[in-house]
C-alpha cells in the first residue's frame, strides 16, 4: 500500500494569518480543536459517564408515589452509571440489593419512563466490602435492620406458636405443609391460603407460625400484619369515627407484604368492614402480597358473607384441620408435658387422650390441670391421680357422650333398616343416602376424624367419608325432605346428649 503525500505551499500557521488576515486564526483553530476533542471524548464515553436520568428527580417521584415504609428501601440507593439502555444503582449491601431486585425493579423502571418517556433496564449492585470501614458499616446496617424487624408487623404474633412446636398428624398434615410453603415463599406458593376447622384445632397456631417464620427469616424482610378479624373490624369503626380512613387504608393496602387475619368469619354482617376488606384484598392480591385467612367454616359454607368475598377466598388454596386422632392427641400431650418439664407416664397420656377428644385446647388444658394438682399435692403424676382429677369431667362426658355406633343405631331405626346395611358396600340409593347422613352426623356430633369414622363403617377409606359429609352439607337447605330428616335426627341425638 502506497501513501500519497500532499505538499502545502504554506506552513500551518500561515494558513490563517495570511489567507484570512486574522491574528486570532491559530487560537481559533486550537480552541475549536479542543471543543471537537471534548465532544469526541464525550461521544466515546457516553456509555460510561453521560447521565441522562437525574436519579434525585426519580427518587422524589418515587417518594410521592409510595408510602414511607416502601420508600425506606429506595432512599439509600445511588446512581453510579448509565448507558442508553440501562441504569445502574448501588445499594448499601447485598441484602438491600437482593430485596430491591426481587420486588421493585419494575417499579423503578416504570417511574423513569413516567418522567423521561424512555424504556430502561435497571440494575442493582451491592457496595463492595473492600475495606474494614465498609464491612463495619454493612454489619451495622444489617444489625439495624434486624433490630427493626419487630416494627415490620402490625398486631400481635405469639412467639410460642412456631412450626417447631406444632404436632403434625394425619388430621393436620396438609394444612401444615401448605403453611410452611407459604412461609418460605410468601406471595408465590399459595395465595390466598385459607385454613378452616373447628375450635381449638390449631388454626391460630399455624397462622402465627407463618408470621414468626417470615419475620425471623434472613431472606425475607416482609412487613407482616397479623390481626384478628374482630380487631380489624374495630379498627375500621374507630377510623371512621376519627375520620382517619385514609391512614387505615394505607396501613393495610400499602404497608403490608403479608396479611394474616384470624377468624375471618367475624366480619359477617358488618358491611363497612366487608367493603374495606374487599378492596384491601384486591390491592394486596394484585400486588402479589401474601394473604392468609382462618375460619371455622369453608368458604362455601359461609353463606352469611358477601359472594364476592367468598369467591376470592377460593382463588388460592383451601385446607382444613380435622380433630386429632388418638395417636396425635398422645403426641400433643407428651410434647406439652416436655415443654413444662414434666415426666408423663404412658398410661396417663393414653387415658387423657381417650377421654378428651374435642380439641387440642381442651387437651392441653386438661394436662395443665393435672400438673397443677400434682404440684399442689406434692405428688407424682399417676393414673390414679389423673382419674381422680378428671372424674367429674369424664362422668359429665359419659352422661352426654354420643358414639358413632349410637348414631348408626338411631339412623338405622329412623330409616327402618339394619346397622349392618349402613356398614355394607351396597350402593343402592335407599342405603347410600342413610349411610351418608350417618357419616355426616357422626362427624358433626362426635368430632371423630374421617379415618376413624370410615373404620366404623366397615373400614371405608377416609375419602369416602369426606365425600359423604360434603354431599350432605351441599344438599342441606336445597333439599327440603333431606333437611327435615337431618333436623329430626339431630334433635334426637341432642336429646340423648343432654341426658
Amino acid at each position: 500500500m502506497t501513501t500519497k503525500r500532499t505538499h502545502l505551499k504554506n506552513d500551518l500557521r500561515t494558513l490563517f494569518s495570511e489567507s484570512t488576515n486574522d491574528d486570532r486564526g491559530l487560537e481559533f483553530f486550537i480552541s475549536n480543536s479542543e471543543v471537537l476533542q471534548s465532544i469526541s471524548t464525550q461521544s466515546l464515553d457516553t456509555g460510561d459517564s453521560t447521565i441522562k436520568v437525574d436519579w434525585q428527580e426519580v427518587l422524589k417521584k418515587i417518594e410521592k408515589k409510595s408510602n414511607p415504609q416502601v420508600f425506606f428501601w429506595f432512599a439509600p440507593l445511588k446512581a453510579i452509571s448509565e448507558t442508553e439502555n440501562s441504569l445502574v444503582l448501588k445499594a448499601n449491601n447485598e441484602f438491600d440489593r437482593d430485596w430491591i431486585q426481587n420486588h421493585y425493579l419494575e417499579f423503578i423502571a416504570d417511574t423513569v419512563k413516567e418522567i423521561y418517556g424512555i424504556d430502561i433496564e435497571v440494575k442493582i449492585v451491592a457496595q463492595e466490602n473492600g475495606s474494614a470501614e465498609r464491612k463495619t458499616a454493612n454489619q451495622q446496617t444489617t444489625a439495624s435492620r434486624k433490630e427493626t424487624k419487630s416494627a415490620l408487623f402490625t398486631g400481635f404474633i405469639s412467639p410460642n406458636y412456631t412450626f417447631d412446636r406444632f404436632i403434625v398428624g394425619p388430621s393436620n398434615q396438609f394444612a401444615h405443609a401448605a403453611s410452611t410453603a407459604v412461609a418460605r415463599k410468601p406471595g408465590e406458593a399459595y395465595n390466598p391460603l385459607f385454613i378452616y376447622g373447628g375450635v381449638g384445632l390449631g388454626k391460630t397456631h399455624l397462622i402465627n407460625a407463618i408470621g414468626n417464620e417470615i419475620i425471623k427469616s434472613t431472606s425475607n424482610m416482609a412487613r407482616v400484619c397479623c390481626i384478628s378479624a374482630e380487631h380489624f373490624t374495630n379498627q375500621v369503626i374507630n377510623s371512621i369515627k376519627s375520620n382517619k380512613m385514609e391512614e387505615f387504608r394505607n396501613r393495610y393496602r400499602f404497608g403490608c407484604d403479608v396479611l394474616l387475619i384470624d377468624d375471618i368469619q367475624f366480619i359477617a354482617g358488618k358491611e363497612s368492614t366487608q367493603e374495606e376488606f374487599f378492596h384491601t384484598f384486591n390491592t394486596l392480591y394484585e400486588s402479589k402480597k401474601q394473604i392468609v385467612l382462618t375460619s371455622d367454616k369453608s368458604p362455601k359454607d359461609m353463606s352469611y358473607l358477601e359472594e364476592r368475598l367468598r369467591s376470592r377466598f377460593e382463588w388460592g388454596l383451601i385446607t382444613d384441620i380435622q380433630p386429632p386422632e388418638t395417636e396425635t392427641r398422645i403426641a400433643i400431650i407428651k410434647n406439652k408435658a416436655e415443654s413444662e418439664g414434666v415426666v408423663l407416664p404412658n398410661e396417663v397420656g393414653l387415658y387423657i387422650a381417650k377421654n378428651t377428644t374435642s380439641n387440642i385446647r381442651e387437651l392441653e388444658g386438661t394436662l395443665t390441670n393435672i400438673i397443677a394438682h400434682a404440684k399442689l399435692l406434692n405428688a407424682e403424676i399417676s393414673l390414679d391421680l389423673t382419674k381422680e382429677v378428671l372424674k367429674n369431667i369424664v362422668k359429665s362426658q359419659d352422661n352426654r357422650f354420643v358414639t358413632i355406633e349410637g348414631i348408626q343405631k338411631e339412623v338405622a331405626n329412623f330409616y327402618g333398616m339394619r346397622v349392618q346395611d349402613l356398614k355394607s358396600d351396597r350402593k343402592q340409593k335407599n342405603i347410600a343416602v342413610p349411610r351418608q347422613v350417618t357419616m355426616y352426623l357422626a362427624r358433626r356430633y362426635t368430632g371423630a376424624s374421617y379415618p376413624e369414622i370410615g373404620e366404623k363403617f366397615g373400614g371405608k377409606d377416609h375419602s369416602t367419608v369426606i365425600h359423604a359429609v360434603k354431599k350432605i352439607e351441599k344438599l342441606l337447605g336445597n333439599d327440603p325432605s333431606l333437611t327435615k330428616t337431618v333436623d329430626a335426627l339431630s334433635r334426637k341425638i341432642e336429646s340423648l346428649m343432654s341426658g
Side-chain angles (χ1 to χ4, degrees), residues 137-343:
N138 283 340
Q139 289 169 358
Q140 288 175 347
T141 301
T142 302
S144 175
R145 288 280 168 80
K146 287 181 178 179
E147 287 172 3
T148 59
K149 277 191 176 185
S150 60
L152 292 174
F153 69 89
T154 299
F156 175 75
I157 296 180
S158 172
N160 296 322
Y161 289 147
T162 63
F163 287 124
D164 293 339
R165 296 186 178 186
F166 189 83
I167 303 300
V168 181
S171 59
N172 57 29
Q173 188 173 16
F174 186 74
H176 174 266
S179 298
T180 53
V182 163
R184 287 174 188 146
K185 292 186 176 181
E188 298 179 34
Y190 308 107
N191 199 23
L193 174 63
F194 191 99
I195 306 171
Y196 73 94
V199 175
L201 296 182
K203 304 186 300 298
T204 300
H205 189 137
L206 281 181
I207 202 171
N208 276 264
I210 291 171
N212 279 316
E213 187 69 20
I214 293 173
I215 290 172
K216 80 173 185 179
S217 171
T218 56
S219 60
N220 282 309
M221 285 292 285
R223 295 156 302 166
V224 179
C225 302
C226 183
I227 192 170
S228 69
E230 181 180 4
H231 287 150
F232 185 87
T233 300
N234 290 337
Q235 287 188 11
V236 171
I237 295 170
N238 292 334
S239 297
I240 293 173
K241 286 181 178 178
S242 58
N243 197 26
K244 292 183 178 180
M245 282 307 297
E246 193 65 28
E247 181 182 327
F248 171 85
R249 289 165 183 154
N250 288 336
R251 182 190 310 148
Y252 287 102
R253 297 180 195 179
F254 306 109
C256 277
D257 294 309
V258 179
L259 178 61
L260 312 173
I261 297 190
D262 200 13
D263 292 325
I264 192 63
Q265 75 276 358
F266 186 84
I267 70 174
K270 301 169 179 66
E271 294 181 4
S272 296
T273 303
Q274 291 190 53
E275 181 72 20
E276 289 302 323
F277 180 74
F278 173 78
H279 293 295
T280 297
F281 183 102
N282 287 343
T283 300
L284 294 176
Y285 184 84
E286 290 168 3
S287 302
K288 295 183 179 179
K289 307 299 185 184
Q290 182 66 52
I291 303 168
V292 182
L293 308 169
T294 70
S295 173
D296 60 351
K297 292 182 175 64
S298 69
K300 288 183 178 179
D301 296 329
M302 300 170 73
S303 57
Y304 40 78
L305 275 183
E306 293 180 4
E307 173 61 29
R308 60 179 182 170
L309 278 178
R310 282 186 286 137
S311 66
R312 278 160 175 74
F313 294 165
E314 296 173 352
W315 282 358
L317 179 66
I318 300 173
T319 178
D320 68 334
I321 300 180
Q322 302 296 329
E325 303 78 8
T326 301
E327 293 79 7
T328 304
R329 291 199 293 271
I330 293 174
I332 291 170
I333 293 168
K334 286 189 173 182
N335 182 69
K336 175 70 173 177
E338 287 177 7
S339 68
E340 297 287 339
V342 174
V343 177

